[in-house]
Amino acid sequence: MLGFVVGEALRDLRRAGRVAVSAVVLITLSLVALGVFWVLSFNLGRAVAEWRDRVRIIVYLKREPSPAEVPALMQRVRALPDVAGARYVAKAEALASLKRVLGKDAGVADQLPSNPLPASIEVTPTAAGATPDGAGALIQRLAALPEADEVAGGAEWVERLSHWQRLLATIGLGIGATLALAAILTVTTSTTLVLHARRHETEIMRLVGAPEAAIRLPLLLQGLVQGLLGALLALLALAVGHHLAAPWLEPLMSLTIGVPRLEFLTPPGMVTLLAAGAGLGAFGGWLARGRRGLA
Amino acid sequence: MIELHRVSKVYEVGPVKVPALTDVSFHLGKGEFVVLTGPSGAGKTSLLRLLYREELPTEGDIEVLGQPVTELSRAKVQTLRRSIGVVFQDAKLLPGRTVYENIAFVLRVTGTARREITARAFDALRAVGLSSRAQAYPAQLSLGEAQRAALARAIVRQQPLLIADEPTGNLDDAMAAEVLAIIKDIWTSGTTVILATHQARLARTLRRRTLMLEAGRLVKDEG
């Protein structure tokens, strides 16, 4: 029976001809659109995750505490909610950092009559503290410390990056879903044409008591084959596109969002794309139901 | 084998009700050969369609091969149909397949093992004298040959019941005689046969039990 079902599905595909080809092309286009946005969103997501790890809040102190006071102060800071870690930066260390940044112009700092840089505490927030709301609340808690003069930092821009990532994913899903709908309708049309072409066979099959599976499975299978073929072509197009675009995009990405490599879909992502294609095709085939032969 | 009890069938065409069969009852035993006759539009085809559950009666009970056909589930209807061979006036051969493929198709879709298909298909072709035309396409057959191919397809699963709906309607006398001879051979091998024809002369030459329908009513049961 399996041989019969597969044979009939391939025969049906040949019968559907150009309409089947259109369905495959539409499935390819919808999955390419989905895949492009998926890849971009995935890479932007990596940047967001990486930058979220780098969020720091700086507490500038009114005066430099004595070495004996530092441990107690740091203990109070680390005990605050949403604080993952804290590092004390003395005035001298801050000046040394500035000199490192200035490089060959570091001599400028030596001209200063005294060290103008305040002592500070570099606070690393937890994941919850790295969101805009979490960071805002943490800043308020740190500003309430009697030793604090000013608190700087926040996660708004990381959130803006994250917002772009979500926007890209939504646009990708929207375009992909629209094209997927068109693909489903095309598969349904091609399957309906096949149903019309094989109506005599279906009539004979019902008359001789063929099981419903023998009548319906070839339709489902031909839709599935169209979907899988479309998904394979989409994956191929995405891989070629990635191979060509990566050398151009990677320097730009490194410069703007600090992610040096444009990653391609992961193996589970590729399997999901193939499954989505097969699912689209099978759904289109399933929608094109033939007339009910049994009273 | 077949039992009809006060069966009526009414088709509803929009608001209009068209009675096709009215209060038909009869019994058909195993191994019988019954000719169902009557003018065109008398209800012969409607009655046959009820037997293989292509239609449901509006009223009454029908039992075929021990099965109450009005109460069967979809799966049971499929099982019932596997026990019935049906032949139509137009042979209903699949045009894109050869005679052999048409017959093998029925075996394949009903799950016959691949190794048995060829032998059984050629047995059926031999029974109707069509072995030499196995690779011909339906368009290359005469009307008589096409009807014999349809008969081969109807008996290839060695069903206990053969329903023939005007199988000689499109044939000249010589071809009709050939087809009827084959149907008689099938009957003598033990198959129960119910044959519908509007040709009264043909019905008489068969000299079998005859059920006559007129305007959907059973008016004669003789022989």
Side-chain angles (χ1 to χ4, degrees), chain A:
Chain A
M1 188 58 86
L2 183 69
F4 170 78
V5 168
V6 173
E8 287 302 298
L10 295 177
R11 196 183 172 107
D12 289 348
L13 267 179
R14 282 199 300 274
R15 276 175 176 163
R18 285 182 189 172
V19 187
V21 173
S22 306
V24 170
V25 169
L26 269 172
I27 289 173
T28 304
L29 285 177
S30 66
L31 293 180
V32 164
L34 200 67
V36 165
F37 283 97
W38 190 352
V39 167
L40 291 179
S41 167
F42 173 66
N43 281 281
L44 213 52
R46 284 172 55 226
V48 169
E50 205 159 293
W51 283 102
R52 201 162 260 158
D53 283 347
R54 291 188 205 171
V55 169
R56 297 285 183 273
I57 295 171
I58 312 294
V59 183
Y60 295 104
L61 303 176
K62 289 175 185 162
R63 64 171 186 83
E64 185 166 37
S66 68
E69 291 171 317
V70 171
L73 173 62
M74 294 306 289
Q75 200 174 356
R76 273 192 289 134
V77 171
R78 288 191 187 109
L80 291 172
D82 291 337
V83 173
R87 192 174 78 85
Y88 172 69
V89 181
K91 282 168 71 81
E93 189 185 340
L95 188 63
S97 292
L98 177 66
K99 283 181 178 174
R100 272 200 302 279
V101 172
L102 291 174
K104 61 182 172 52
D105 300 320
V108 177
D110 294 331
Q111 306 300 317
L112 296 168
S114 62
N115 182 355
L117 300 176
S120 62
I121 301 170
E122 205 178 272
V123 176
T124 306
T126 59
T131 62
D133 289 347
L138 184 56
I139 286 169
Q140 279 185 1
R141 282 194 286 275
L142 291 167
L145 289 169
E147 294 86 348
D149 180 28
E150 195 183 328
V151 182
E156 283 82 5
W157 70 273
V158 179
E159 204 51 37
R160 273 201 293 279
L161 205 60
S162 176
H163 171 75
W164 279 105
Q165 182 211 353
R166 283 197 297 272
L167 191 69
L168 268 179
T170 309
I171 292 172
L173 271 178
I175 293 176
T178 309
L179 287 171
L181 190 69
I184 288 171
L185 291 177
T186 314
V187 173
T188 306
T189 307
S190 75
T191 312
T192 306
L193 285 177
V194 166
L195 266 173
H196 182 73
R198 64 182 291 198
R199 63 193 183 284
H200 298 303
E201 278 162 40
T202 307
E203 185 184 353
I204 295 296
M205 287 166 87
R206 291 196 195 283
L207 197 66
V208 300
E212 277 298 295
I215 299 170
R216 297 220 180 279
L217 275 183
L219 298 174
L220 202 69
L221 197 62
Q222 65 126 354
L224 194 136
V225 168
Q226 288 176 63
L228 207 55
L229 209 58
L232 277 171
L233 288 174
L235 207 55
L236 189 70
L238 285 169
V240 170
H242 175 264
H243 182 72
L244 295 176
W248 296 91
L249 285 177
E250 280 172 355
L252 185 71
M253 287 171 61
S254 183
L255 201 68
T256 52
I257 56 174
V259 174
R261 271 184 55 78
L262 178 68
E263 295 287 348
F264 190 57
L265 297 173
T266 56
M270 291 187 229
V271 172
T272 305
L273 202 75
L274 290 176
L280 281 180
F283 184 58
W286 178 79
L287 278 182
R289 278 180 270 186
R291 70 177 179 83
R292 293 272 184 221
L294 303 178

Side-chain angles (χ1 to χ4, degrees), chain B residues 157-177:
Chain B
R157 284 169 299 131
Q158 294 159 346
Q159 300 91 321
L161 174 63
L162 175 67
I163 294 173
D165 188 4
E166 302 275 7
T168 56
N170 289 339
L171 308 181
D172 61 30
D173 286 352
M175 283 181 180

Side-chain angles (χ1 to χ4, degrees), chain B residues 113-180:
Chain B
R114 191 177 280 268
R115 61 184 177 280
E116 289 180 31
I117 289 176
T118 308
R120 288 179 66 171
F122 273 97
D123 282 349
L125 282 170
R126 268 191 294 276
V128 299
L130 216 57
S131 313
S132 60
R133 303 289 279 151
Q135 297 311 319
Y137 283 90
Q140 299 168 319
L141 302 176
S142 69
L143 288 175
E145 284 174 329
Q147 203 55 278
R148 279 151 61 193
L151 270 171
R153 185 178 62 188
I155 60 165
V156 70
R157 284 169 299 131
Q158 294 159 346
Q159 300 91 321
L161 174 63
L162 175 67
I163 294 173
D165 188 4
E166 302 275 7
T168 56
N170 289 339
L171 308 181
D172 61 30
D173 286 352
M175 283 181 180
E178 268 181 28
V179 167
L180 286 176

Side-chain angles (χ1 to χ4, degrees), chain A residues 4 201 206-207 209 294-295, chain B residues 53 74 81-82 97 109:
Chain A
F4 170 78
E201 278 162 40
R206 291 196 195 283
L207 197 66
L294 303 178
Chain B
R53 242 301 284 273
R74 177 172 295 216
R81 286 181 179 183
R82 279 176 224 150
R97 298 179 195 249
V109 300

Side-chain angles (χ1 to χ4, degrees), chain B residues 1 42 64-66 77 85 98 127 137 151 164 171-172 182 207:
Chain B
M1 174 63 80
V64 176
L65 299 167
V77 170
T98 64
Y137 283 90
L151 270 171
L171 308 181
D172 61 30
I182 292 166
R207 295 181 187 171

